[in-house]
């Protein structure tokens, strides 16, 4: 079960399993917006406040705080 304000694991899985070629433009945009919002929520939520299942889900989807900080540093040329 995902933490409050986060995209559910079943939504993430169903979105990932359906090829983009079978999705409408609206569906693709919605998936992108949900993914971005979930990634931001993951970054803003301290690890200490995440449930064990949320921490596991974030590590699987590369949404852990450490991964997001690393990505941000790479984007800014700080690594």
């Amino acid at each position: 079960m995902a933490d409050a304000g986060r995209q559910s694991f079943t939504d993430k899985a169903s979105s990932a399993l359906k090829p983009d070629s079978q999705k409408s433009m609206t569906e693709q945009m919605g998936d992108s917006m949900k993914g971005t919002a979930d990634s931001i929520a993951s970054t803003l939520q301290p690890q200490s406040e995440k449930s064990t299942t949320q921490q596991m889900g974030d590590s699987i989807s590369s949404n852990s705080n450490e991964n997001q900080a690393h990505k941000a540093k790479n984007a800014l040329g700080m690594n």
Side-chain angles (χ1 to χ4, degrees), residues 19-32:
D20 284 345
S21 61
Q22 295 180 4
K23 295 178 184 178
S24 67
M25 183 62 74
T26 305
E27 202 173 2
Q28 288 181 29
M29 288 173 47
D31 286 350
S32 178

Side-chain angles (χ1 to χ4, degrees), residues 30-69:
D31 286 350
S32 178
M33 289 174 26
K34 287 178 189 175
T36 300
D38 189 63
S39 183
I40 291 169
S42 172
T43 302
L44 295 177
Q45 184 180 18
Q47 285 292 114
S48 61
E49 293 181 13
K50 294 180 182 179
S51 66
T52 302
T53 54
Q54 190 64 61
Q55 288 178 19
M56 289 172 40
D58 283 354
S59 67
I60 291 168
S61 66
S62 300
N63 272 348
S64 67
N65 289 359
E66 293 80 20
N67 286 338
Q68 295 302 317

Side-chain angles (χ1 to χ4, degrees), residues 4-21:
R6 300 292 306 277
Q7 187 177 11
S8 75
F9 301 128
T10 53
D11 282 352
K12 284 183 186 181
S14 64
S15 174
L17 291 173
K18 186 175 182 181
D20 284 345
S21 61

